[in-house]
Amino acid sequence: MEKYISPILENIRNANYEAELLLISNHALDYIKGIDKRSVYPERKDIEALSNFDKKLAKEPALNKEIINLLVDYGSKGTVAQTGSRYFGFVTGGLLPSALYGRLIADIWDQNSAMYISSPTVAKIEEVCEKWLVELFSFPQDTAAGFVSGSASAMLCALTTGRNFLLNRLGWDVNKKGLFGAPDIKVVVGEGAHSTVWKALSIIGFGSDLVIKVPMDSEGRIRVDLMPKLDSRTMIILQAGNVNTGAFDCFEKVCSIAKEAGAWVHIDGAFGLWAQVNPEMAKLTKGIELADSWNFDAHKTLNAPYDSGVVMCKDRSALLNAMQMSGDYIVAGANRDGMFYTHEMSRRARVIDIWAALMGLGSLGVAEMVQELHIKARYFAEGLSAEGFEILNEVVFNQVLVYYKEDKLTLELMKQLQSSGVMWVGGSTWQGKRVIRISVSSYRITYNDIDICIKEFVKQVVNL
Ligand SMILES: *Cc1c(COP(=O)(O)O)cnc(C)c1O
């Protein structure tokens, strides 16, 4: 048989790793060191220069050097300085050095973390991280964790698990019988729930008309007095950290009612679950360990890189049963196959980022970071308030809602701040008002940065 060798691949096999990795490490240093000297949002000319990517895929391969240079010269300039110290958009965590290093090494290894057999290292680190997280959050022993791309995915896994658990208890095995003809399940959600709650619910078969919405109070917490009667066919979804106000639902009360009724409680703790690791802040999360499942992001409060979320479930077998791949397969034996804890199979080894972030902080560092983010959010709010801006929420965690006189002026102010290059803040709508939303989520933000930003608010108001 004639052996075929692609000349292109032959060339690729001879990559000049020494020179090319050096190019990348030089870029990494320039980017990281320069991040606070550049405009936080890319300038118009840099966005326009992204047209350099508008090329037809060439027939001939590009040199690695050329690929790297295109990314460095044009790609990097069109990025948003989210890893810098004056980005307050959405709920965007910074990038801890330890977590970045973990990620880079994991990417060099390029492991498939589906199974123990495909990567003993990743299976081990998943096992260790699961234990660490259970301890950090003071969750019941044997709580399981699955590592996914973010809270939207984690929620999908958790709500599927809750749905299947409740149906199983009614004698309906979803894995065998599917959903057509299944008994009714009641879903209860606070009106302030994150949009990904609705997304997950609709994917798993609960359209918005089927969901009972409970009104929220002035801070976005579920109104316990207006909750419908819960029963053993109910799944209720609470939230640790309203995406606008940062408010926490009253877990202790709702969980005790729900437990009494035999309902399944899920808590969306995308960024707020971390309050639980700080003894002073844990008053916000009181009773959170009474729930059945939780989701959170590592790429928010923990400051691990994107994309990193975790689903946690008190009943390990319920999660495994819902995420199974065939029959009623339950993982037996000593080794962990990560794919049975999530809806995915092949995955990058994202758990290494989380492990490295936790190693780099220690449990003390995690607790201190949560506290710092909170105090800095309050510092920001007080500074703005002293300058005449209205703060619309109680700053219980890391989110601050700012209003200036009227919707139109607030919106205009937000746009000016966004194009100032000094900082970046996003907008939202809260209780019918257009607001500026500040999220203090990065370890990089200093008090000095906040002072600079407050000055910028004052400066931009003059231009309104
Ligand atoms: C960010 C967020 C989500 C969605 O998380 P992703 O990581 O973007 O999937 C869900 N709920 C809340 C409260 C959030 O802040």
Side-chain angles (χ1 to χ4, degrees):
M1 165 185 174
E2 201 182 328
K3 290 177 178 160
Y4 169 70
I5 292 176
S6 147
I8 290 176
L9 292 185
E10 192 64 355
N11 225 352
I12 289 174
R13 282 188 280 269
N14 289 323
N16 185 351
Y17 280 108
E18 288 85 352
E20 289 155 5
L21 285 173
L22 200 62
L23 269 181
I24 291 172
S25 84
N26 285 339
H27 166 63
L29 277 178
D30 285 348
Y31 190 86
I32 290 168
K33 299 249 165 184
I35 196 74
D36 288 329
K37 295 184 193 103
R38 49 169 284 186
S39 171
V40 176
Y41 204 78
E43 290 169 34
R44 182 184 296 249
K45 67 171 176 16
D46 293 324
I47 293 175
E48 280 165 9
L50 292 175
S51 60
N52 281 287
F53 288 98
D54 291 329
K55 288 179 177 152
K56 273 185 80 167
L57 179 62
K59 207 164 163 194
E60 299 298 326
L63 297 173
N64 287 332
K65 206 173 116 189
E66 193 186 323
I67 296 167
I68 295 166
N69 285 340
L70 195 60
L71 287 171
V72 169
D73 293 343
Y74 300 108
S76 84
K77 295 195 180 99
T79 62
V80 179
Q82 290 170 19
T83 55
S85 62
R86 289 191 304 277
Y87 183 83
F88 303 90
F90 305 95
V91 187
T92 302
L95 180 54
L96 289 168
S98 61
L100 170 64
Y101 303 152
R103 182 186 182 117
L104 292 174
I105 291 176
D107 281 349
I108 290 164
W109 295 346
D110 192 30
Q111 298 291 282
N112 183 353
S113 42
M115 289 168 282
Y116 177 83
I117 191 101
S118 61
S119 183
T121 298
V122 178
K124 169 55 77 184
I125 294 179
E126 281 202 359
E127 215 175 85
V128 169
C129 256
E130 179 184 273
K131 270 206 202 88
W132 287 0
L133 292 168
V134 170
E135 271 174 30
L136 272 173
F137 296 132
S138 313
F139 282 168
Q141 249 187 348
D142 204 44
T143 294
F147 298 91
V148 292
S149 59
S151 270
S153 276
M155 201 144 19
L156 190 63
C157 298
L159 300 186
T160 303
T161 303
R163 179 198 67 187
N164 289 11
F165 178 87
L166 294 177
L167 286 173
N168 263 323
R169 210 168 49 187
L170 291 167
W172 188 275
D173 180 350
V174 180
N175 292 339
K176 285 207 185 100
K177 297 189 183 173
L179 284 174
F180 298 104
D184 280 347
I185 292 291
K186 190 153 84 185
V187 180
V188 178
V189 178
E191 250 177 359
H194 194 267
S195 53
T196 51
V197 172
W198 300 104
K199 183 180 176 123
L201 284 173
S202 76
I203 293 173
I204 67 166
F206 298 105
S208 56
D209 286 355
L210 301 176
V211 177
I212 302 171
K213 294 170 207 79
V214 185
M216 55 184 183
D217 70 11
S218 59
E219 292 298 315
R221 292 174 294 234
I222 204 165
R223 285 274 304 270
V224 182
D225 57 320
L226 297 179
M227 239 168 45
K229 200 167 162 10
L230 308 181
D231 57 28
S232 61
R233 294 172 168 229
T234 307
M235 177 157 73
I236 178 163
I237 300 155
L238 302 176
Q239 124 174 300
N242 175 290
V243 78
N244 285 312
T245 63
F248 292 66
D249 285 333
C250 183
F251 307 122
E252 200 174 32
K253 198 157 183 190
V254 180
C255 286
S256 73
I257 298 170
K259 288 300 99 182
E260 186 97 347
W264 179 280
V265 183
H266 175 73
I267 296 175
D268 173 10
F271 63 96
L273 184 55
W274 293 96
Q276 172 81 345
V277 305
N278 183 299
E280 258 176 72
M281 314 249 359
K283 59 180 186 299
L284 296 168
T285 47
K286 197 147 185 264
I288 206 166
E289 68 286 350
L290 301 171
D292 297 286
S293 59
W294 307 263
N295 66 272
F296 71 88
D297 280 320
H299 55 225
K300 287 180 180 165
T301 315
L302 185 63
N303 282 234
Y306 286 99
D307 51 0
S308 194
V310 181
V311 51
M312 296 190 80
C313 185
K314 179 152 51 184
D315 182 339
R316 180 174 298 266
S317 62
L319 178 65
L320 288 167
N321 204 34
M323 298 296 122
Q324 49 90 40
M325 308 238 324
S326 62
D328 17 32
Y329 183 86
I330 298 285
V331 180
N335 297 322
R336 179 186 167 102
D337 291 321
M339 67 181 184
F340 294 122
Y341 292 79
T342 79
H343 61 313
E344 299 169 329
M345 185 174 177
S346 301
R347 297 166 299 144
R348 59 179 291 275
R350 55 171 75 95
V351 72
I352 294 177
D353 317 352
I354 299 182
W355 172 84
L358 292 174
M359 281 284 287
L361 287 165
S363 62
L364 195 60
V366 179
E368 286 181 4
M369 182 156 74
V370 172
Q371 178 128 7
E372 240 199 60
L373 296 176
H374 169 58
I375 301 292
K376 283 175 176 162
R378 277 178 38 199
Y379 180 82
F380 207 150
E382 278 172 23
L384 285 174
S385 177
E387 294 291 351
F389 297 92
E390 200 181 339
I391 305 301
L392 296 186
N393 65 318
E394 279 175 43
V395 184
V396 293
F397 200 54
N398 66 332
Q399 305 290 97
V400 182
L401 299 179
V402 190
Y403 194 68
Y404 184 68
K405 289 186 179 167
E406 51 180 279
D407 279 18
K408 204 166 137 280
L409 289 176
T410 307
L411 198 61
E412 193 51 39
L413 174 61
M414 179 192 78
K415 284 185 189 152
Q416 285 179 197
L417 290 168
Q418 287 177 348
S419 56
S420 72
V422 173
M423 63 186 298
W424 202 90
V425 285
S428 187
T429 302
W430 180 244
Q431 314 276 26
K433 283 176 166 167
R434 301 299 300 261
V435 297
I436 293 173
R437 185 177 59 188
I438 293 170
S439 179
V440 181
S441 297
S442 171
Y443 82 99
R444 287 288 306 264
I445 298 163
T446 65
Y447 291 102
N448 185 43
D449 287 308
I450 297 172
D451 290 339
I452 292 171
C453 292
I454 294 170
K455 273 199 196 113
E456 193 61 29
F457 266 82
V458 173
K459 185 177 144 197
Q460 293 297 342
V461 158
V462 178
N463 302 331
L464 285 174

